[in-house]
Amino acid sequence: GAVVSQHPSWVICKSGTSVKIECRSLDFQATTMFWYRQFPKQSLMLMATSNEGSKATYEQGVEKDKFLINHASLTLSTLTVTSAHPEDSSFYICSAIGASPDTQYFGPGTRLTVL
Amino acid sequence: QQQVKQSPQSLIVQKGGISIINCAYENTAFDYFPWYQQFPGKGPALLIAIRPDVSEKKEGRFTISFNKSAKQFSLHIMDSQPGDSATYFCAASTMIYNQGGKLIFGQGTELSVKP
């Protein structure tokens, strides 16, 4: 149980285009979902926290107009990177919290490469 | 005060040896301390977690030691195996201050277990 999926697992796009990444909790309802980005050999950096039906809370320094988060249901959150640039190339990982408020279950990640 | 400091950055251990990774925190409001294991190109997976009301928790070959007064906790991997080679992250979170579930990650430790 407690499986989180992400789609796509990798994506390559041209500079200036937008990319949408989906995060789904497959076997539980996620009250809260988190989005992280991770650069090579670095730790996970929290970008934003999203709760179903409400606006996401962004961490300091994260551009909310660039990284659009929609948590439309208890099993789906999406991250849209708008007008992507090469510096947005990174590994994006989502996580979800279900019945237990402490335990975060992570998705497999999405590798974004912007050319 | 929200930082979690992790050491060492990298660790090489012989097969069968003990791997020890340390973390320190400052925020006394933290009340949940998980360890995550991450393989290259994958999302983190929860390994083991502890709360401040116990000083040690063991699950198989993995043990967390927790020192509340020193604000330190560590992960011990007994009988380390080549398959344990991965990056390990400690983390901390608190349920108060509206921070429910928000994880603060350490910098990560790249473990290599030599056969």
Side-chain angles (χ1 to χ4, degrees):
Chain A
V3 178
V4 176
S5 70
Q6 279 185 243
H7 178 79
S9 55
W10 59 270
V11 57
I12 301 173
C13 69
K14 292 182 178 180
S15 185
T17 61
S18 294
V19 174
K20 180 185 282 188
I21 302 170
E22 291 187 350
C23 176
R24 293 181 185 273
S25 56
L26 298 184
D27 49 3
F28 66 101
Q29 292 186 326
T31 54
T32 304
M33 287 183 167
F34 301 88
W35 285 95
Y36 297 83
R37 67 189 294 183
Q38 186 180 35
F39 292 107
K41 302 288 187 181
Q42 293 190 23
S43 188
L44 286 80
M45 186 192 80
L46 179 65
M47 299 176 66
T49 303
S50 74
N51 294 290
E52 184 262 342
S54 60
K55 288 185 178 180
T57 302
Y58 291 81
E59 294 298 302
Q60 192 172 10
V62 177
E63 300 176 59
K64 56 185 68 177
D65 293 332
K66 181 167 187 62
F67 299 99
L68 301 179
I69 292 171
N70 185 359
H71 194 156
S73 76
L74 284 172
T75 60
L76 173 64
S77 176
T78 60
L79 167 68
T80 301
V81 183
T82 63
S83 186
H85 291 284
E87 57 265 30
D88 298 324
S89 297
S90 188
F91 193 49
Y92 291 88
I93 310 171
C94 72
S95 69
I97 289 179
S100 170
D102 292 326
T103 306
Q104 278 192 39
Y105 299 97
F106 283 81
T110 296
R111 172 76 58 193
L112 170 63
T113 302
V114 184
L115 302 176
Chain B
Q1 208 185 20
Q2 285 284 71
Q3 281 188 334
V4 177
K5 294 183 179 179
Q6 183 173 346
S7 64
Q9 187 174 349
S10 63
L11 180 62
I12 299 175
V13 174
Q14 289 296 123
K15 178 182 176 182
I18 303 173
S19 304
I20 302 174
I21 305 171
N22 302 298
C23 284
Y25 63 97
E26 296 178 358
N27 188 349
T28 55
F30 287 145
D31 54 11
Y32 178 70
F33 303 88
W35 284 89
Y36 285 86
Q37 178 189 57
Q38 186 181 30
F39 292 103
K42 305 293 184 183
L46 179 65
L47 204 56
I48 187 173
I50 198 169
R51 292 191 173 280
D53 52 348
V54 296
S55 60
E56 186 175 283
K57 183 175 181 180
K58 183 176 181 178
E59 289 185 2
R61 296 185 294 111
F62 302 93
T63 300
I64 299 180
S65 296
F66 185 83
N67 186 328
K68 188 174 181 178
S69 60
K71 291 184 283 186
Q72 295 175 348
F73 59 110
S74 60
L75 175 70
H76 292 62
I77 305 175
M78 312 300 287
D79 187 25
S80 298
Q81 299 296 313
D84 296 330
S85 298
T87 300
Y88 292 80
F89 293 96
C90 64
S93 70
T94 175
M95 292 304 295
I96 65 174
Y97 306 137
N98 244 4
Q99 299 284 295
K102 181 176 172 179
L103 285 171
I104 306 298
F105 280 90
Q107 295 80 2
T109 297
E110 192 170 354
L111 171 65
S112 178
V113 181
K114 299 299 184 185

